Amino acid sequence: GNSVTQMEGPVTLSEEAFLTINCTYTATGYPSLFWYVQYPGEGLQLLLKATKADDKGSNKGFEATYRKETTSFHLEKGSVQVSDSAVYFCALSSGSARQLTFGSGTQLTVLP
Amino acid sequence: DAGVIQSPRHEVTEMGQEVTLRCKPISGHNSLFWYRQTMMRGLELLIYFNNNVPIDDSGMPEDRFSAKMPNASFSTLKIQPSEPRDSAVYFCASSLAGHQETQYFGPGTRLLVL
């Protein structure tokens, strides 16, 4: 079956620090990969996605590269801001149903 | 454009009571999803609909949970009778058919069962 494993949180960084949140997956077929973000008190929002191997998704300064050889989709940002404080979810979709399978989420707190 | 609308935003009830959560998807979206989020289990898909028809309800915890989608603009998730372990945040999300991976989430209903 499909599964997503994310690095354990919480992660606390100072403003302008470099961010990496690790994500690895197990899937049948050729999944599409996603990062969703949940700001406090809100629902999840799609942050970025990649639909095939070696694709790089990017948005709002965040990037993630679909690495088929390591079954990974790590999220990175070169310089985080306080406003990036949120919970980040890695997810995949695979198969004909195209439903999302989410990781457990990683809480990020950025301190000024 | 309005996003996904959920009501109520907060619900406190006593064990044994019936709880009904409501969702209005984004206009034109024909896939709708109900999720439950808890600290212990993370985000779980309960059920999803395509064109108002339930496609997969394997995530519904037990017979106390039921979901309906009588038309394209409205869905309910009902818990009867409610139990303290049902306390969670319940999210509704919608998407265009064929694009189920790009889901738009509502703000959630925070349910507390005493």
Side-chain angles (χ1 to χ4, degrees):
Chain A
N2 297 337
S3 67
V4 176
T5 302
Q6 282 182 241
M7 89 188 253
E8 292 286 328
V11 175
T12 302
L13 296 173
S14 298
E15 204 164 26
E16 299 183 3
F18 183 85
L19 168 71
T20 299
I21 300 178
N22 290 340
C23 171
T24 58
Y25 66 90
T26 302
T28 54
Y30 302 95
S32 295
L33 302 173
F34 307 84
W35 278 99
Y36 275 76
V37 59
Q38 183 180 26
Y39 297 104
E42 299 182 10
L44 281 70
Q45 305 173 22
L46 178 63
L47 179 61
L48 54 84
K49 67 179 183 180
T51 57
K52 61 182 187 296
D54 300 324
D55 270 2
K56 177 185 286 188
S58 61
N59 187 25
K60 300 181 181 180
F62 290 89
E63 293 183 340
T65 301
Y66 188 148
R67 301 286 188 200
K68 186 179 178 183
E69 63 276 13
T70 54
T71 61
S72 65
F73 193 55
H74 304 322
L75 182 69
E76 296 182 337
K77 187 174 185 181
S79 176
V80 293
Q81 305 301 310
V82 173
S83 57
D84 294 327
S85 298
V87 181
Y88 292 82
F89 292 88
C90 187
L92 69 82
S93 73
S94 181
S96 58
R98 310 303 295 177
Q99 296 174 56
L100 287 170
T101 299
F102 287 94
S104 56
T106 301
Q107 172 79 54
L108 169 67
T109 301
V110 181
L111 302 175
Chain B
D1 248 355
V4 175
I5 298 172
Q6 290 187 247
S7 65
R9 292 294 307 273
H10 302 273
E11 177 83 22
V12 180
T13 190
E14 292 187 345
M15 183 173 63
Q17 296 299 305
E18 178 179 295
V19 174
T20 299
L21 311 181
R22 297 173 176 80
C23 174
K24 177 179 170 55
I26 292 172
S27 178
H29 282 190
N30 36 20
S31 293
L32 184 140
F33 307 81
W34 282 102
Y35 290 90
R36 177 172 67 177
Q37 185 180 42
T38 61
M39 289 293 292
M40 292 297 294
R41 300 174 67 91
L43 194 64
E44 304 172 277
L45 176 66
L46 300 177
I47 185 171
Y48 83 96
F49 296 82
N50 273 353
N51 296 314
N52 314 338
V53 176
I55 301 301
D56 183 357
D57 65 355
S58 59
M60 295 286 263
E62 48 199 272
D63 292 346
R64 298 184 298 107
F65 285 68
S66 62
K68 294 182 179 180
M69 192 165 185
N71 58 61
S73 59
F74 184 65
S75 177
T76 59
L77 178 67
K78 187 175 292 187
I79 309 172
Q80 166 63 21
S82 58
E83 297 182 3
R85 60 192 168 121
D86 302 330
S87 299
V89 181
Y90 290 81
F91 289 104
C92 176
S94 70
S95 73
L96 291 168
H99 297 274
Q100 283 92 341
E101 58 265 30
T102 304
Q103 297 179 17
Y104 295 80
F105 282 71
T109 295
R110 186 172 295 274
L111 173 65
L112 178 61
V113 183
L114 302 174

